[in-house]
Amino acid sequence: MENSQQNSLEALMHAAQRGDGVAYAELFRQITPLIKGFLYNRLGDGLDNEDIVQEVLFAVHKASHTYNTDRQFKAWMFAIADYKLKDYLRAHYRKAVLTKVDFAEIEHTLTDDVTEDYSPSELLSEILGVLPEKQQQIVRMMKIDGYSAEQVAKEMKMTTSAVKVSAHRAYKLLTLKKQAGEI
Amino acid sequence: MDTEALIARFAAEGAKKPLPHPLAIAGKWLALLAVYFVVMTLVTGFRSDIATKWAQPFYLMELAGMLATAITAAIAASFLALPDVGGRSWLKFVPLIPIMIYGILLMESIASGNAMPLIECIQMQRYDCLLTIIFFSIAPAIFMFITIQHAAPTRCCWAGSMAGLSASSLGYVLLRLIDTDDNPSELIIWHLIPVMLVTMVGMVAGKLYFRNSALA
């Protein structure tokens, strides 16, 4: 069964490369569950699997010219799936790190005494006080005043990427301070 | 978009025509490298003592070793341009064998006291050798990078470093046909290290440039 499927995948791809659109569609129909299984084994159902499945299918289509020998189709396809999965996870974790510090979240985790003694603005000032002056200003502008990174860059005469890096460092520092119980 | 609609779109676009076999691509590269090699030697001319050097086994072995590195690295790079490396991921280690053997032989010459001390060699500041190797490597490396980028490499760093190693090994051979310095210390510091440097630059460039391949 395994061998017959492998052979048919290879035959379908060869037919598709000779211009057979029906074979090409059939190939994608056959590989979609395989890719779903591959991703489910690695991601579970916690992440948006349908998006990544389509990304892998798209990559297989775009790289169809690189299947050019009589080697196993599945090895070629899963190499692409693995590459796209790593790419997806990199982007996912990068996004997760950047959004990790939420001011609302910090406020909720503070002890009752602190919230009773300070107003929200005083509280934020104290939290931001652990940051260097420049980072304080960037975080204030981006998270409290609602400026975009480009607007902050213009105001502070910095490059946009420098602003983003600085903000990222500030969030990271806040996370560390929070974990250490210092804020 | 619905997956079935996506599949219909792919079917309408159709599969792309397959690329030639990696060995055919490597063969094409090597043929072009050979032409480049001949042109460059005609432009720069050979070292004055070339007739004597052809009779020296160590010199011939050195050139053969570096040519073997250039050829095997080009073959490895052509396979690394494919997502699954054509099922031959071990190929990337093959070019390291001749260059390592050659490096060990040079180290042995230094250890036996037949060479200038390394510190003295560094103080010679032969940046011209470094620049010549980089100069000779640029055109072949660019050509290889463009070809690999049109495929779909998944091991971008390896693909870039193999392209860099192939191009710089060729640059090394060209330099050895021009430059008359044969001191083992100089060969290590001002010839082999630049080859490694170009290989590392290739690795970083591969990581950045191949992101825009067919898999992007």
Side-chain angles (χ1 to χ4, degrees), chain A residues 37-79:
Chain A
F38 175 85
L39 296 171
Y40 184 81
N41 283 339
R42 284 150 184 86
L43 296 174
D45 50 6
L47 297 173
D48 193 358
N49 280 354
E50 200 53 37
D51 267 6
I52 174 76
V53 167
Q54 292 196 358
E55 268 188 49
V56 174
L57 291 175
F58 195 63
V60 168
H61 171 60
K62 277 178 80 182
S64 57
H65 61 305
T66 61
Y67 184 74
N68 57 359
T69 61
D70 293 329
R71 61 191 192 276
Q72 285 198 340
F73 179 86
K74 275 188 182 175
W76 175 82
M77 179 189 76
F78 285 130

